[in-house]
Each structure stands twice: as structure tokens, then as C-alpha cells.
Amino acid sequence: MEAQALVADRALIGRASRADQVAAVLRNRISTGWFRPGQRLAEDEITAALGVSRNTLREAFRLLTHERLLVQELNRGTFVRVLDVEDVVDLYRVRMHVECAVVRTVSVAPVGLPRIAATVVQGRAALGEQDWRALGTANIAFHQELVAIAGSPRLDELMRGLLAELRLVFHVMDDPRWFHEPYLARNQEILDVLARGDGPAAAELLTAYLTDAEGQLVTAYAVLRAADVLGPAKARR
């Protein structure tokens, strides 16, 4: 009886998997700035481009809305979300708790240190090429790898979501170099301290780092919002 009842769910598995794949494609496009905050996503164009059904696309939209990357407005469509200053503050509040707590536990050079170091190298290469978007990507990867020290898939997933939202903030900055470049040297400083196994000192550096970054972003974001350049008001929800 129970097995027979599950037969009806067989089609849902295929559809859900397909929707997950579409969501992954759109998530990447949003994170890299191909779809900009406040931009309306045209269903007809996306379904034609990806070769998927409208129902599959809408399920992908639902998943990304749950992740706070999209907003859906009745009779208006689906938009890439535009964050408010309050969102920025909350993102950094969570980052402060998670990242600093993970780093503070380090007492010997972590196993993941080479991966953290690789993001710093990646950042230097982007700086040399003056590719500010790539520098931002390297910086995001640095923080993702910091949390990966904990070896927790749940924390990794949490950070992926937080950092994907944060990319929405970076994409509306007028001068990404201004924000990302100064933090490359600070990434190296934290890396050096972690290599010595001094977690508490690294956490102290990271606390100051995140405090400064939050202050910069909040100030810049408040100016942009006051100038009404953050996209459609409804896409801020």
C-alpha cells in the first residue's frame, strides 16, 4: 500500500531534479551579476534559452525566492532581489557569529589551509589583471573556505546562501575596486595567523575586518538608496 502510494510521486522526482538544475544555473547567473538586482526575469526568454517548461522554471523561481535571491510580485513578474540596508546589517551579524566562531576554534594549522591560500593567490591574480569582479569572487571564496574549516556541510550551505545574498549588494556598488582591493592584504594577514594555529588572534582580526566591511557597505548602500538607484522598490522585499 505504501509503495503504491509513492508511485504517484515518481514524476515529482524528475521535475524537482530538473528545477534544481535550472535554479543552479540561475543562481550562478545572479551571483556573477549577469542578472542584476532589480531586473525582471522574462519567463519566455529563459524557458526558450534553457529548453525547459514554464512549470519547471517557476519551480526554480520558487526555490530561489526561498533563498532570498528573487522576489515574485503578483501581476508584475519575478525580479532579482534588491537588498535594503537592514539586510546588509543582518547578513554581517550572521557572518560575524559564524565565521569568527569557526576561526576561533583553530589551534593548529587547519587541513583546509591550502584551499584558503589558493583564494588569496586567486585574488592577487585578479588584482594584477584589474578584474574587480574576479577579485570579489576570490574574496567570497576566501570566506567560504574559512567556514569550511569546521567540516560541517550545514555551515557550508548556510555560508553559500549568505554570500550569494551578499553578492547582490556588491553588484550595485559603483566602484567594486574600492571595496575589494583593501581586503586582499587583510586576507593574507588572517591566513598567516591561521598558519601558526592561532585561532583566537585570527578571530580578532576577522572581527575587525567584518566590522569595517559592514560599515563601508552600509554607508555606501544608504547613499545609493537615498539616490533611488537600487532598482524597483518592490524588488527590495
Side-chain angles (χ1 to χ4, degrees):
M1 290 289 292
E2 292 176 351
Q4 290 177 347
L6 287 175
V7 170
D9 293 334
R10 186 181 302 166
L12 296 177
I13 296 174
R15 188 163 69 243
S17 175
R18 189 68 166 160
D20 286 340
Q21 293 170 2
V22 174
V25 170
L26 297 179
R27 185 185 299 111
N28 179 65
R29 290 293 189 176
I30 293 168
S31 293
T32 57
W34 200 80
F35 290 124
R36 305 280 296 177
Q39 180 177 345
R40 183 178 179 276
L41 301 187
E43 288 191 9
D44 290 343
E45 293 179 8
I46 296 174
T47 54
L50 297 181
V52 298
S53 70
R54 190 177 296 270
N55 284 341
T56 296
L57 180 63
R58 288 178 176 174
E59 176 63 14
F61 281 173
R62 188 192 67 78
L63 293 171
L64 295 177
T65 299
H66 180 71
E67 294 176 20
R68 301 173 63 84
L69 296 179
L70 299 179
V71 291
Q72 295 179 300
E73 299 291 343
L74 185 64
N75 299 324
R76 296 185 69 241
T78 302
F79 298 81
V80 179
R81 188 162 169 258
V82 180
L83 275 65
D84 282 323
V85 172
E86 292 79 6
D87 293 309
V88 177
V89 171
D90 193 42
L91 283 170
Y92 273 87
R93 180 183 298 120
V94 178
R95 290 186 67 191
M96 188 78 75
H97 282 293
V98 174
E99 293 186 50
C100 294
V102 169
V103 168
R104 191 174 290 112
T105 63
V106 171
S107 57
V108 296
V111 174
L113 194 67
R115 292 192 299 273
I116 301 172
T119 68
V120 176
V121 172
Q122 179 186 351
R124 287 203 199 97
L127 178 62
E129 296 171 4
Q130 297 191 1
D131 186 340
W132 311 123
R133 179 177 292 182
L135 181 55
T137 297
N139 192 41
I140 289 289
F142 174 81
H143 292 278
Q144 185 77 58
E145 292 298 341
L146 284 184
V147 172
I149 290 172
S152 167
R154 290 174 177 80
L155 283 179
D156 290 342
E157 182 178 359
L158 172 64
M159 278 301 292
R160 278 193 295 270
L162 290 173
L163 296 175
E165 277 194 78
L166 197 60
R167 291 300 290 262
L168 296 180
V169 180
F170 296 156
H171 292 325
V172 297
M173 292 292 104
D174 290 331
D175 184 4
R177 177 181 184 177
W178 161 82
F179 183 75
H180 293 300
E181 184 176 5
Y183 290 92
L184 183 56
R186 298 176 78 164
N187 289 352
Q188 180 67 61
E189 186 179 13
I190 292 171
L191 174 65
D192 292 341
V193 174
L194 287 175
R196 300 199 302 266
D198 192 346
E204 186 175 343
L205 290 173
L206 186 57
T207 297
Y209 178 123
L210 293 175
T211 299
D212 291 345
E214 178 187 352
Q216 282 184 276
L217 276 182
V218 166
T219 299
Y221 219 65
V223 170
L224 290 173
R225 184 173 180 181
D228 200 26
V229 296
L230 290 182
K234 290 190 177 181
R236 295 174 187 159
R237 293 181 181 175

